[in-house]
Amino acid sequence: MSQEQFNFDKEATIAKLDEVIGYIKKDKFDSETIKKITDDTLEGFDDYVSPGWLKYRKSVSTDAAVLEWHDEGSIDYGLNDEEFIDFLGGFGIYTFGHRNQEILETVEAQLKHQALHSQELLDPLRSYLAKAVSEITPGDLQYSFFTNGGAEAVEMSLKLARIATGGRWYISTVGAFHGKSMGAISVGGKGSYREPYLPMIQQVQHVEYGNAEDMRKAIANLQEVGEKVAGII
């Protein structure tokens, strides 16, 4: 990238970010500000996030764009106070609802004395959580590896499966989605996600979802030729 291509108006960028921080500190906006934020958001997604969101997702199309701004319980509220019942649950992160009061109070209390640990010194809360997880999980599971999200958890699971079994092969299903990191896409079953990155992690076979007999055959065939399956996902 040349210096000319990299040039930008630093002061303008900082001023815009200051403006956005001001938005964060507000709950309500006038109609002019709502239109401005909406226009900025549509432009931002189209030019800097992913134009596919506006093209393929009916819930956020340019004809009926809704910007979520606050939430409570099972309801998402838009900038114009539109109400939507959340049936997606943030891919499972809202098990206890949005802004659950007990959770909010605990998070706020934590933020008042420490936002994130240093990664160098010992974090007592990680220790307490790991012990609690070991107590409530079945079998002899003892150690926890904490991750930031589902794809990272899948990556660690793939590695642990190989360590635990000595196997190298994975069996997945057609149509499956496990995340967008390299290992997760490799065991995913959607061509549109996989094709741009081929060749991917090898030693993955895909069978029809819900077809237990095909799954058994895939395992048996690998074993018959001397291969060992690390795991099924």
Side-chain angles (χ1 to χ4, degrees):
M1 179 180 291
S2 67
Q3 184 62 43
E4 290 75 15
Q5 290 174 307
F6 187 71
N7 285 338
F8 69 102
D9 189 336
K10 180 179 178 181
E11 296 302 321
T13 300
I14 292 174
K16 185 64 178 180
L17 292 176
D18 286 340
E19 181 181 343
V20 173
I21 291 173
Y23 294 157
I24 294 172
K25 296 177 180 180
K26 293 182 179 180
D27 291 325
K28 297 288 185 180
F29 304 96
D30 57 40
S31 58
E32 182 178 343
T33 304
I34 289 174
K35 184 180 186 307
K36 185 176 187 303
I37 295 174
T38 301
D39 291 342
D40 288 345
T41 302
L42 291 174
E43 178 187 356
F45 265 82
D46 211 26
D47 292 344
Y48 304 106
V49 181
S50 171
W53 280 63
L54 304 182
K55 186 181 294 184
Y56 300 114
R57 292 199 175 197
K58 292 180 180 179
S59 60
V60 293
S61 70
T62 52
D63 296 328
V66 175
L67 278 58
E68 59 179 308
W69 194 251
H70 59 104
D71 53 13
E72 189 77 39
S74 61
I75 305 296
D76 279 318
Y77 296 92
L79 279 178
N80 286 298
D81 290 326
E82 307 98 326
E83 294 187 17
F84 295 87
I85 300 175
D86 179 14
F87 287 104
L88 182 62
F91 297 130
I93 64 173
Y94 292 117
T95 304
F96 298 99
H98 293 259
R99 298 199 306 124
N100 176 285
Q101 193 58 40
E102 183 178 352
I103 294 174
L104 272 184
E105 290 173 358
T106 304
V107 170
E108 289 171 355
Q110 173 68 21
L111 287 173
K112 286 178 180 178
H113 67 81
Q114 185 185 36
L116 293 169
H117 60 85
S118 67
Q119 301 291 341
E120 173 62 24
L121 306 177
L122 295 178
D123 170 24
L125 298 180
R126 193 190 318 189
S127 172
Y128 287 126
L129 178 58
K131 183 175 186 295
V133 170
S134 74
E135 292 172 345
I136 65 176
T137 48
D140 59 356
L141 294 175
Q142 179 177 349
Y143 294 98
S144 291
F145 180 84
F146 299 114
T147 71
N148 295 299
E152 192 178 350
V154 168
E155 295 286 344
M156 192 61 198
S157 298
L158 296 174
K159 291 185 284 187
L160 285 174
R162 284 188 168 179
I163 293 172
T165 65
R168 289 293 176 264
W169 284 83
Y170 303 104
I171 311 293
S172 185
T173 61
V174 175
F177 180 78
H178 298 293
K180 296 178 181 177
S181 52
M182 199 64 172
I185 294 181
S186 297
V187 295
K190 296 183 177 181
S192 58
Y193 285 101
R194 292 168 49 84
E195 288 167 8
Y197 310 110
L198 295 172
M200 310 191 72
I201 294 176
Q202 304 301 300
Q203 297 171 306
V204 178
Q205 284 197 8
H206 294 81
V207 301
E208 182 185 22
Y209 179 78
N211 192 325
E213 186 56 33
D214 276 5
M215 186 75 73
R216 294 189 187 97
K217 285 180 180 178
I219 296 170
N221 288 341
L222 285 170
Q223 292 175 337
E224 186 67 25
V225 297
E227 301 286 359
K228 189 172 182 180
V229 176
I232 295 170
I233 183 166

